Amino acid sequence: MRHHNRSLDEILRPSDSAKIESALRGGATRRELLTMLMAAGASAGLAGTMITSAKEVLAATPKRGGEIRFAWSQHGPSDTFDPILATNSIDYARTRLTFNNLTRFNEDLTVRPELAEEYSANADATEWTFKLRPGVTFHDGSPLRAEDVVYSMSRHLGAESKSKAKVLFGDVKEWVKVDGSTVRAVLNAPNAELPVILATFHFKVAKEGAEDFSQPVGTGPFVVDEFVPGVRSLHSRFDDYWVSGQPYLDRIEVFGITDPVARVNALLSGDIQMAGNVAPQYYEQVENTEGLELFVVNSGACNDINIRLDMEPGKNPDFVLAMKYLERRDRVLQVIQKGRGSIGNDCAVGPAYGADYCKEVPIRPYDPDKAKFHLQKSGVTSAQLDFAEVATGLTDMCLMLQRECAKIGFDLKLNRVPGDGYWSTTWLKAPMHVGSWNMRPSANIMMTIAYQSDAPWNESHWKNERFDKLLKEARAELDPAKRYEMNCEMQKMVSDEAGTLIPTHTAYSDAKISKLQGYPRVPLGPFGAMEWPDTAWLKD
């Protein structure tokens, strides 16, 4: 176990060691840990010894007590505790404090059981059965039931569902109760990724019939004491949490500080203990301040500039292509991101997706001559880009594109709008606007959310029947070589045809006081994909 139990590192691969540590800190049972260790190559006897040793070391480390204040980079009146409506990272943090999923991510993006004690699929992955963990209670004292899970998962189904992630349940026909502690997902088509989907932000379990989330009741590590959208939320430890000894912190306050300078200054002055989304120009200052540290996780996250293809000027493909040829990908990476991240190719799937990433698609070069040719062909002489600094570097990215447009005589007007409420007032609505994506655990999930024709978050309103068909076929394809071919075709289609400009992929760069420990490094969002509430603790 890294930094804790040398025997794990000596016997297991680093990736397996990290997985065991993540599972142990997340409350995995002894049986679950034995299964994982034996699958990683340890004998039954050795695995038992290792678990005992690891638990002793870890149990002596975290300490109970303490209060912290966490400031994110944006908030607004659309802030919500309803998991199916969560839109940005402050929502993800709050719902992680309050609820649990059926499954949960390890740091290597494999998943382990959470509210589900165990799960299995039939031979063709068209049915998945989940046995619920016993002894789990909601904050009001009522027990977790199969009906709660069926209700929560069914909220993502049907044309009338308001779920922001319902597109991921496109293969799910229904959720049914098998018995009081067992539920089953019945699918219309095979989907080997369902347990991975269930670990993502929106698929948390609420009480049956829950509709008012102003005072939410969950099974998570913290109880909501106060919630004012756009202002703050207060959370206190749930003493009957189902993971023994967790959570460690007594109280957490979550709110937004939209100004990046004010947010860093609040951390430097001690007014907050966690600052999300730190701008690159403040990295050195944080790193050189005693008692503070950057929390950096490399990922496939990305910021984008979106051109709606169903509105002018995006209806003209030559205009869209011209904007893509004006992207200074290398300068965005080196100047704006200080070298943290990787080059993008106008598709939300990047190198961090590993085997899912298609290396054969050539990166579109910076070519102002081609850009000028396509602009003249389009007949478009000016456009407006609405933006807000809802993610680090977006303002500079827009300014850089504006400068490149000016060099070839094109007038790109920038309209800065308030960050508060941006996601409900401007995003998806303006003809040209900015966005920001967390990494997803697979290329198929990422492309489904971002580019499927009927996806609620299809930012450029791009539609392609062939792409939709490939997405579905790839989910059912078990041959890695064939799935790779499908991924390559889809990623090339997105890069060439969609209206998303993605010059780079980023690393998540947040900051906290050094005394705050116990943060998993899951690369799917800021602060380890907000998987820290039950494991974070304050060192003396």
Side-chain angles (χ1 to χ4, degrees):
M1 184 162 297
R2 295 175 304 163
H3 313 305
H4 297 295
N5 189 341
R6 188 174 178 81
S7 62
L8 284 180
D9 278 338
E10 291 172 344
I11 297 169
L12 304 178
R13 294 175 301 174
S15 60
D16 290 324
S17 176
K19 188 186 303 184
I20 299 301
E21 177 179 348
S22 182
L24 186 54
R25 289 194 180 279
T29 65
R30 183 177 180 84
R31 183 173 66 176
E32 291 164 353
L33 292 167
L34 281 170
T35 301
M36 293 171 70
L37 281 165
M38 292 173 68
S43 67
L46 179 59
T49 301
M50 292 163 72
I51 291 171
T52 300
S53 175
K55 283 188 173 181
E56 288 174 354
V57 172
L58 289 180
T61 303
K63 302 194 182 301
R64 269 202 164 193
E67 302 181 3
I68 64 169
R69 304 179 80 218
F70 169 33
W72 182 239
S73 59
Q74 70 237 217
H75 62 169
S78 62
D79 291 353
T80 183
F81 269 95
D82 188 343
I84 76 167
L85 299 180
T87 301
N88 63 63
S89 290
I90 198 167
D91 294 338
Y92 301 153
R94 286 171 170 150
T95 52
R96 179 75 255 184
L97 283 157
T98 312
F99 301 99
N100 297 111
N101 296 57
L102 285 171
T103 57
R104 187 168 185 175
F105 286 110
N106 298 307
E107 292 183 348
D108 66 352
L109 298 185
T110 58
V111 296
R112 66 183 187 272
E114 190 174 35
L115 289 182
E117 184 178 37
E118 58 186 48
Y119 54 87
S120 60
N122 62 355
D124 63 356
T126 56
E127 289 188 359
W128 285 88
T129 302
F130 300 84
K131 183 174 179 56
L132 303 184
R133 192 179 298 275
V136 178
T137 61
F138 284 95
H139 299 156
D140 62 2
S142 59
L144 173 68
R145 304 170 306 144
E147 289 86 350
D148 302 310
V149 177
V150 170
Y151 170 77
S152 299
M153 298 302 105
S154 298
R155 296 182 71 215
H156 299 278
L157 300 178
E160 302 303 315
S161 170
K162 296 180 180 179
S163 168
K164 301 299 185 182
K166 66 180 180 181
V167 66
L168 295 179
F169 264 18
D171 295 327
V172 179
K173 178 181 179 181
E174 61 178 343
W175 284 81
V176 297
K177 173 184 173 182
V178 177
D179 58 41
S181 61
T182 310
V183 299
R184 180 170 296 142
V186 181
L187 282 61
N188 293 309
N191 192 334
E193 292 190 339
L194 185 62
V196 176
I197 291 170
L198 292 172
T200 57
F201 300 117
H202 298 88
F203 297 97
K204 293 183 165 53
V205 177
K207 289 194 67 172
E208 181 185 19
E211 294 181 357
D212 180 5
F213 287 86
S214 60
Q215 288 294 322
V217 175
T219 60
F222 286 85
V223 177
V224 179
D225 297 323
E226 177 187 322
F227 175 47
V228 182
V231 181
R232 70 169 186 173
S233 60
L234 293 173
H235 311 257
S236 59
R237 183 175 61 223
F238 180 38
D239 289 327
D240 292 326
Y241 188 49
W242 55 273
V243 180
S244 178
Q246 294 181 0
Y248 301 110
L249 297 172
D250 293 331
R251 194 171 174 84
I252 298 173
E253 181 179 356
V254 180
F255 55 96
I257 301 177
T258 57
D259 181 82
V261 178
R263 195 164 59 255
V264 170
N265 285 339
L267 182 69
L268 294 171
S269 67
D271 288 340
I272 62 174
Q273 289 72 47
M274 293 174 61
N277 207 3
V278 175
Q281 58 263 39
Y282 305 115
Y283 290 170
E284 186 175 353
Q285 185 178 15
V286 171
E287 290 178 318
N288 292 336
T289 300
E290 186 177 357
L292 299 182
E293 62 185 27
L294 284 176
F295 188 81
V296 179
V297 180
N298 291 324
S299 78
C302 59
N303 297 332
D304 57 10
I305 294 173
N306 303 294
I307 307 171
R308 283 186 55 166
L309 305 184
D310 60 339
M311 302 172 70
E312 298 293 351
K315 282 186 176 181
N316 192 307
D318 281 292
F319 170 76
V320 178
L321 188 54
M323 293 299 103
K324 291 182 178 181
Y325 275 121
L326 287 177
E327 293 179 90
R328 298 297 301 269
R329 304 173 196 275
D330 56 340
R331 289 186 61 80
V332 172
L333 179 61
Q334 297 303 325
V335 177
I336 298 177
Q337 296 175 200
K338 307 301 183 187
R340 296 172 188 255
S342 59
I343 294 292
N345 197 28
D346 303 323
C347 178
V349 177
Y353 283 86
D356 283 351
Y357 173 63
C358 184
K359 303 177 182 64
E360 282 79 8
V361 180
I363 302 294
R364 184 175 290 104
Y366 167 68
D367 194 327
D369 291 333
K370 285 186 177 180
K372 188 172 185 177
F373 168 79
H374 285 288
L375 275 174
Q376 290 175 343
K377 187 178 177 182
S378 74
V380 179
T381 57
S382 67
Q384 177 174 297
L385 169 57
D386 293 348
F387 75 100
E389 184 76 352
V390 291
T392 300
L394 272 171
T395 299
D396 290 334
M397 199 165 87
C398 293
L399 289 169
M400 188 176 289
L401 181 62
Q402 183 187 49
R403 288 194 293 270
E404 296 304 323
C405 286
K407 289 178 184 178
I408 60 170
F410 183 77
D411 181 21
L412 179 63
K413 298 179 174 64
L414 298 186
N415 178 41
R416 183 160 195 157
V417 300
D420 291 355
Y422 173 84
W423 300 106
S424 60
T425 59
T426 306
W427 184 57
L428 301 176
K429 297 178 174 62
M432 290 185 69
H433 62 279
V434 299
S436 181
W437 287 98
N438 288 318
M439 183 179 176
R440 262 51 182 196
S442 75
N444 195 282
I445 292 175
M446 182 71 250
M447 291 189 290
T448 299
I449 293 176
Y451 303 113
Q452 185 169 298
S453 296
D454 60 351
W457 290 352
N458 184 336
E459 293 172 304
S460 69
H461 293 244
W462 175 64
K463 301 181 186 301
N464 186 298
E465 291 184 5
R466 169 65 179 168
F467 177 86
D468 294 346
K469 182 173 182 289
L470 282 170
L471 271 177
K472 186 173 183 179
E473 291 175 353
R475 282 194 288 270
E477 181 56 64
L478 300 180
D479 184 336
K482 291 181 180 178
R483 191 166 57 249
Y484 181 76
E485 290 179 5
M486 294 176 181
N487 274 326
C488 281
E489 183 177 351
M490 287 187 286
Q491 289 167 44
K492 188 175 190 309
M493 291 167 70
V494 170
S495 179
D496 289 345
E497 301 175 17
T500 52
L501 279 61
I502 302 176
T504 60
H505 296 269
T506 65
Y508 295 112
S509 299
D510 309 295
K512 63 181 181 67
I513 61 172
S514 303
K515 289 183 178 181
L516 267 174
Q517 303 287 305
Y519 282 68
R521 306 185 72 84
V522 177
L524 300 179
F527 274 117
M530 299 301 177
E531 291 285 345
W532 53 269
D534 48 357
T535 58
W537 58 282
L538 275 168
K539 184 169 63 176
D540 292 338

